[in-house]
Amino acid sequence: MTEKSSSKAQAIVTEVRRRIADREWRQGDRIPDEAELAVEFGAARATVNKALQLLAKEGLLDRKRRAGTHVTVNPTRKATLTIPIVREQIEQAGMEYSHRVVAQKKSPIPAAIAERMELPEGQMLIHLRTVHYGDGKPFQAEDRWINPAAAPGVDGIDFHRVNANEWLVRNAPWLRAEIAFSAENANARDARLLETRQGSALLILQRTTFNDLGAITTVRVAFHPGHTMIATH
Amino acid sequence: MTEKSSSKAQAIVTEVRRRIADREWRQGDRIPDEAELAVEFGAARATVNKALQLLAKEGLLDRKRRAGTHVTVNPTRKATLTIPIVREQIEQAGMEYSHRVVAQKKSPIPAAIAERMELPEGQMLIHLRTVHYGDGKPFQAEDRWINPAAAPGVDGIDFHRVNANEWLVRNAPWLRAEIAFSAENANARDARLLETRQGSALLILQRTTFNDLGAITTVRVAFHPGHTMIATH
DNA sequence: TTAACCTCTATGTCTAAACTTATTTTGACG
DNA sequence: CGTCAAAATAAGTTTAGACATAGAGGTTAA
């Protein structure tokens, strides 16, 4: 077995991946059971189990009790997206971070937002529009609604002085999130805020977070044209 | 402890998440060590370890030997994207799948592709353009380059008859992938293939896969305007 | 003061063994 | 034959115990 990493389990992961990549074990094949692999790799069954569970979570293996472990036929591979805090993303790129709150007020939520937040239409939430800059150039525009009922303490905050993203991350951790990506042509406001021309293609990230008390916040983030999000395998 | 799931480890995960969400344990706090939690939860240390490692991978906890486990200060939460096989995605939506190969030929790769695939510029690869349809309406347009050196057997295949995506998934599993999302205004070709107007905002997915032999394939997928990709927490 | 070194501790990893549980197989019975 | 129940099997989970190792903190020597 090719030892590629420090841990035994990781070595098993690597070796099984190699066998699949090299087609020693083909799509649909049943692979030896945990006990046999444990003997072959000189490891305990628990260690083999850990390795195979990881590969199953990755989508490379299908595991079923009694039926054994099979190489996935149509592997739907998963990619992990890391959604960083804007400020950190900008500073990590070696730019100077700044932001500007364009609007902060209490408003009744429109139908689309109500649906996303699973709240009744017309409820009064905090509505916030912010632009984040790197070295003075617009990086992303945020359109955010915050539900004070699920984020205690938010009412007294002046988001002109405190970064909403960071305040929320620190003061209202979420239990569940819904995230969606899409592309939209910049509308007049997007264009103005991002200092680009109307109609240019923007990557849009839409995220709603929930805790026991319900929806905390929903945000539509419009990235500057040309922005790329990287996902890691 | 609120038992939310079958497994003990999962129950610990849920309870720790709750304590963080309810701010019993706050950002930056050091939480009790594994041995203490094991006693509190009436579990073995290995079980607590499994739970905490999961939360650390999620980004909620920071763990360091000797220093203990802390609640992450600026949690960079991760989202998992499932990139399905087109056919399955379309059929799952209850539509009838079809596809059309617009072009298949051997061409020298341009500089941008060469860089992505870590190959010398001008190398001859298979170039493929395909449109995938749901109920006859264009769903996504693929622009793909395939490296026969890393995908043995690909040379004889007629991709007018075989779906490239599915052939590759089955015959050339990858070890490493690079995935990126962005938005682009539809160019003339995109507009024609997707039957939309030039300039409309398209969600673009760019993926390159590798095995021991090098880059297998790189593909630029342009989705129909309005398409949304969902990520799960 | 600083650098080099040591010690201690909390996490990381593995093991053997047991028990649980989903699922397939088998086989008895109608 | 088909049906239902029992047996068998492979993965799922947990446990106690052991050892490895990073790294914080303290100690000593230059």
Side-chain angles (χ1 to χ4, degrees):
Chain A
M1 179 165 59
T2 332
E3 310 274 337
K4 285 226 179 171
S5 159
S6 42
S7 110
K8 214 162 186 170
Q10 190 51 53
I12 296 174
V13 165
T14 305
E15 170 63 9
V16 171
R17 253 206 278 265
R18 188 198 62 73
R19 289 189 190 176
I20 294 170
D22 290 354
R23 316 208 62 219
E24 287 171 26
W25 293 340
R26 305 184 158 221
Q27 263 57 6
D29 282 4
R30 172 161 179 193
I31 75 170
D33 67 38
E34 294 184 348
E36 288 174 63
L37 291 176
V39 173
E40 189 200 326
F41 291 137
R45 185 167 82 85
T47 307
V48 174
N49 179 275
K50 193 177 166 189
L52 297 190
Q53 288 209 8
L54 201 146
L55 290 163
K57 221 166 65 180
E58 237 175 54
L60 215 50
L61 296 178
D62 272 336
R63 321 191 73 213
K64 257 200 304 203
R65 276 160 162 150
R66 164 81 215 223
T69 300
H70 292 255
V71 180
T72 307
V73 178
N74 277 141
T76 283
R77 306 296 273 290
K78 288 165 184 67
T80 306
L81 269 169
T82 319
I83 301 167
I85 301 214
V86 209
R87 177 210 289 278
E88 288 178 2
Q89 188 174 14
I90 286 169
E91 288 176 350
Q92 212 159 8
M95 295 189 286
E96 204 201 344
Y97 172 77
S98 61
H99 69 118
R100 186 166 66 91
V101 176
V102 178
Q104 170 177 8
K105 59 166 191 260
K106 282 223 160 194
S107 302
I109 48 176
I113 301 294
E115 196 192 341
R116 275 215 293 280
M117 297 185 83
E118 300 168 11
L119 292 172
E121 191 178 338
Q123 188 160 334
M124 299 297 284
L125 301 193
I126 300 169
H127 187 193
L128 211 58
R129 268 195 248 275
T130 315
V131 185
H132 301 269
Y133 301 87
D135 282 349
K137 285 191 303 203
F139 179 78
Q140 67 175 45
E142 256 190 41
D143 188 322
R144 184 188 289 278
W145 293 83
I146 304 172
N147 178 12
V154 78
D155 265 317
I157 309 293
D158 175 11
F159 288 112
H160 292 270
R161 309 179 58 191
V162 183
N163 186 313
N165 201 336
E166 292 174 29
W167 188 91
L168 285 164
V169 146
R170 274 196 264 264
N171 295 277
W174 45 265
L175 285 173
R176 180 168 67 87
E178 284 173 9
I179 301 164
F181 291 89
S182 55
E184 290 181 21
N185 292 101
N187 61 31
R189 178 164 34 228
D190 293 330
R192 177 165 42 78
L193 296 178
L194 291 173
E195 296 169 20
T196 184
R197 55 165 236 289
Q198 205 170 328
S200 58
L202 306 178
L203 182 63
I204 304 287
L205 185 163
Q206 201 120 30
R207 180 169 39 165
T208 311
T209 57
F210 301 84
N211 63 18
D212 323 26
L213 304 168
I216 305 168
T217 185
T218 189
V219 60
R220 170 192 182 268
V221 177
F223 289 92
H224 191 79
H227 183 74
T228 297
M229 285 206 87
I230 308 275
T232 58
H233 155 213
Chain B
M1 179 165 57
T2 333
E3 311 274 335
K4 286 227 179 168
S5 159
S6 42
S7 108
K8 212 164 188 171
Q10 191 51 52
I12 296 174
V13 165
T14 305
E15 170 62 10
V16 171
R17 253 206 278 264
R18 189 199 61 72
R19 288 189 191 177
I20 294 171
D22 290 354
R23 315 208 63 219
E24 288 171 26
W25 292 340
R26 304 185 159 221
Q27 265 56 10
D29 282 3
R30 173 161 178 190
I31 76 170
D33 67 38
E34 294 184 348
E36 289 174 62
L37 291 175
V39 172
E40 189 200 326
F41 291 136
R45 185 169 79 87
T47 307
V48 174
N49 179 275
K50 193 178 166 188
L52 297 189
Q53 288 208 7
L54 200 147
L55 289 163
K57 221 166 65 180
E58 238 176 53
L60 259 185
L61 297 178
D62 272 335
R63 321 191 73 213
K64 258 199 302 202
R65 276 161 163 152
R66 162 81 215 224
T69 300
H70 293 254
V71 180
T72 307
V73 178
N74 277 140
T76 283
R77 307 295 272 290
K78 289 164 183 67
T80 306
L81 269 170
T82 322
I83 302 167
I85 301 214
V86 208
R87 176 209 292 276
E88 287 178 3
Q89 189 175 13
I90 286 170
E91 287 176 350
Q92 211 159 10
M95 296 189 285
E96 204 202 343
Y97 172 77
S98 61
H99 69 117
R100 184 165 67 90
V101 176
V102 178
Q104 171 178 6
K105 59 166 192 259
K106 283 222 159 194
S107 301
I109 48 175
I113 302 294
E115 196 192 342
R116 275 215 293 281
M117 298 185 83
E118 301 169 11
L119 292 173
E121 191 178 339
Q123 188 160 335
M124 299 298 286
L125 300 193
I126 301 169
H127 188 194
L128 211 59
R129 267 194 250 274
T130 315
V131 185
H132 302 269
Y133 300 86
D135 281 349
K137 284 190 302 201
F139 180 77
Q140 66 174 46
E142 256 188 41
D143 187 323
R144 184 188 289 277
W145 294 83
I146 304 171
N147 179 12
V154 79
D155 265 317
I157 310 293
D158 176 12
F159 288 112
H160 293 269
R161 310 179 57 189
V162 183
N163 186 312
N165 201 337
E166 291 175 30
W167 189 90
L168 284 164
V169 146
R170 273 195 266 264
N171 294 278
W174 45 265
L175 285 172
R176 179 169 68 88
E178 284 172 10
I179 302 163
F181 291 89
S182 55
E184 291 181 21
N185 291 101
N187 61 31
R189 178 164 34 228
D190 294 330
R192 177 164 43 79
L193 295 179
L194 291 172
E195 297 169 21
T196 184
R197 58 165 234 291
Q198 205 170 328
S200 59
L202 305 178
L203 182 62
I204 305 287
L205 185 165
Q206 200 119 32
R207 181 168 38 166
T208 311
T209 56
F210 301 83
N211 63 18
D212 325 27
L213 304 169
I216 304 168
T217 184
T218 191
V219 62
R220 171 191 182 268
V221 177
F223 289 93
H224 191 80
H227 183 74
T228 296
M229 285 207 86
I230 308 274
T232 59
H233 155 212

